[in-house]
Amino acid sequence: MRIGHRVARALAGLALLSASAQAQVVVTNTTKYTAPWNTNNPSGLFQIYLQQLNTNYSYFGAVLSIEVGLYSTNIFDYELENTSPGAALFELEGSGNTYATNPGPAAVVGVHSGLLFSTNLAGSDGNSGSGNDYAYFNDIKSVGSHSNLITSAFNSLYFGASTFAVDINSRVSSTLFAAGTYTASRLDDRSLGVAYVIYTYTLVPEPGAFIPLAGVGLGLVWWARRRRSPDGRRLGRPSA
């Protein structure tokens, strides 16, 4: 019977076909690196470092995109006292940005804007730092985020086995709107956040990835041929 021989040939064909298909597959991969910061001097320029993309591998294909971005939170305390005789509404608005430069030509700017608090305070009671005419706000937060895709002409600036520097500068101002007179102070400014880079690229299998499968296919072909005589007849066990 030739069933065994046919099965062997079919399995060999499948193994070789699978090996060939694996050798041609291109895989898309995404890698993200992050770098946090936490500073008590957010308006001053400071540096953090992000990982470069190591392209020095035989299975590396091509870079599809590089994205650089940030998430930033500026935090401060605020002390406020109404010094006018009547009750008044006070509103604090924040504006500014967290600015990050990178090796590419475009900076990443996370915009901060919006109402930070709104409160009614009673008319002045003549006592400083207490009473219904006074308020102290802890940990007021202003949040900003943004990201940019890097122009492909500058991709090589992000390649290597080391890191690249990102310069961070975060300036968020606050404006108080009030009907009456007041005293106010902003305290304990700080900024925390995360900068990130996202690499999207392709990978191709190493040449050795499909050799085992190809070996299986060739082995099955050899076995099938060994089972047949030179004149094409199937070889069986010798008669007793």
Side-chain angles (χ1 to χ4, degrees):
M1 295 179 66
R2 300 186 179 181
I3 295 177
H5 175 67
R6 290 174 179 171
V7 170
R9 291 187 60 140
L11 290 175
L14 286 173
L16 291 171
L17 181 62
S18 177
S20 175
Q22 286 199 19
Q24 297 173 9
V25 168
V26 176
V27 179
T28 300
N29 195 44
T30 298
T31 300
K32 181 178 182 178
Y33 296 107
T34 61
W37 77 81
N38 191 338
T39 178
N40 292 326
N41 183 25
S43 61
L45 191 68
F46 58 93
Q47 282 190 333
I48 57 176
Y49 297 87
L50 285 168
Q51 183 66 45
Q52 291 179 316
L53 180 65
N54 193 342
T55 61
N56 191 27
Y57 295 103
S58 59
Y59 53 82
F60 193 89
V63 173
L64 302 179
S65 67
I66 300 175
E67 179 183 354
V68 177
L70 61 85
Y71 301 101
S72 175
T73 301
N74 278 53
I75 307 171
F76 58 89
D77 297 347
Y78 204 85
E79 187 177 29
L80 173 64
E81 187 160 18
N82 184 11
T83 58
S84 58
L89 172 67
F90 295 86
E91 293 185 330
L92 187 71
E93 290 190 357
S95 62
N97 59 67
T98 298
Y99 183 92
T101 60
N102 52 76
V108 178
V109 181
V111 177
H112 296 253
S113 65
L115 182 67
L116 299 177
F117 72 72
S118 177
T119 187
N120 283 288
L121 294 179
S124 176
D125 60 8
N127 298 315
S128 178
S130 63
N132 293 330
D133 61 346
Y134 173 83
Y136 191 96
F137 298 89
N138 287 293
D139 295 341
I140 296 173
K141 294 180 174 65
S142 178
V143 178
S145 64
H146 194 60
S147 67
N148 281 338
L149 287 174
I150 302 304
T151 305
S152 59
F154 296 89
N155 279 359
S156 61
L157 298 175
Y158 295 82
F159 298 162
S162 185
T163 59
F164 63 88
V166 178
D167 295 326
I168 304 291
N169 179 293
S170 190
R171 297 178 183 272
V172 178
S173 61
S174 54
T175 304
L176 186 66
F177 296 91
T181 58
Y182 58 88
T183 61
S185 57
R186 176 170 163 168
L187 310 164
D188 196 19
D189 263 272
R190 55 221 189 263
S191 173
L192 57 89
V194 174
Y196 64 86
V197 58
I198 301 175
Y199 301 106
T200 302
Y201 52 94
T202 60
L203 299 173
V204 294
E206 295 184 79
F210 64 91
I211 290 177
L213 280 174
V216 171
L218 294 174
L220 288 170
V221 171
W222 174 85
W223 178 82
R225 288 179 176 176
R226 288 272 298 176
R227 297 287 294 168
R228 299 188 64 84
S229 66
D231 58 3
R233 290 182 293 108
R234 183 175 179 271
L235 293 175
R237 294 184 179 179
S239 332

